[in-house]
Amino acid sequence: MPVHAAPPGILQYAIPIAIFLAVFALRARRLTRLRPLKVEQLWIVPALYTAVVAVIFYRSPPTLAGWGIAAAALLVGAALGWQRGKTMQIHVDPETHELRQRASLWALAFIVVLIAIKSVAQAEGAALHFNVAVLIDTLAALTLGVFAAQRLEMYLRANRLLAEARA
């Protein structure tokens, strides 16, 4: 006798949303604290994500149009990442010249929106007759642009603030 899967119910959506809200609440609370900013380590996340995006593109190379869309998404992501980087507060201790940062809730909300868009696109893309591979490539390039430009903006601003504090 075949076993039939239960139709998707409210719990299929409620449990991940509840987990997400709990994590978001914990993360949002931590954002209000100043944390050390290690300028020399800002390159790590973009480098790791570049490797992830390279693997995505290697395993399923985009078409010529897909490369164009991914390049445009990278530029849009860079512009959004620059703005996201500007929302991060950077403080320099006047005596020790130690750099500290405080993220904003807007910066976290921005990433949450990107993750939600990606999740919905992956889940509903085929049903809406989107080319899911192009959509994933586009969102990967957009996210890479966000991470890289955000950290570049923070690096440049932190170095400028540190130079001003030392002067």
Side-chain angles (χ1 to χ4, degrees):
M1 181 180 280
V3 176
H4 298 288
I10 190 78
L11 286 179
Q12 179 181 0
Y13 299 104
I15 292 172
I17 290 172
I19 292 170
F20 168 77
L21 290 175
V23 170
F24 184 80
L26 292 172
R27 182 75 175 126
R29 194 179 73 196
R30 283 185 51 211
L31 287 176
T32 60
R33 297 186 200 139
L34 279 174
R35 296 177 303 174
L37 173 63
K38 294 180 174 52
V39 177
E40 63 278 358
Q41 294 178 357
L42 286 174
W43 65 272
I44 295 172
V45 170
L48 291 174
Y49 201 74
T50 299
V52 169
V53 172
V55 168
I56 290 171
F57 286 165
Y58 176 77
R59 292 186 76 202
S60 177
T63 63
L64 186 58
W67 280 113
I69 293 169
L74 182 69
L75 294 175
V76 169
L80 293 172
W82 194 268
Q83 291 305 312
R84 184 173 188 260
K86 290 170 82 172
T87 67
M88 306 297 251
Q89 298 174 16
I90 298 176
H91 302 276
V92 180
D93 185 299
E95 295 176 13
T96 63
H97 297 144
E98 180 182 86
L99 291 167
R100 302 189 61 77
Q101 73 170 356
R102 177 182 298 148
S104 73
L105 288 177
W106 291 112
L108 181 60
F110 178 78
I111 288 296
V112 167
V113 168
L114 283 180
I115 291 169
I117 290 171
K118 182 179 181 196
S119 297
V120 169
Q122 283 179 307
E124 303 298 328
L128 297 173
H129 304 292
F130 289 138
N131 184 337
V132 177
V134 171
L135 197 56
I136 290 171
D137 293 345
T138 301
L139 291 172
L142 179 88
T143 307
L144 176 60
V146 168
F147 288 157
Q150 173 197 346
R151 279 151 176 93
L152 177 61
E153 193 282 335
M154 290 174 65
Y155 174 83
L156 295 172
R157 188 162 38 105
N159 281 337
R160 187 186 78 244
L161 290 171
L162 194 55
E164 289 172 5
R166 290 180 176 156

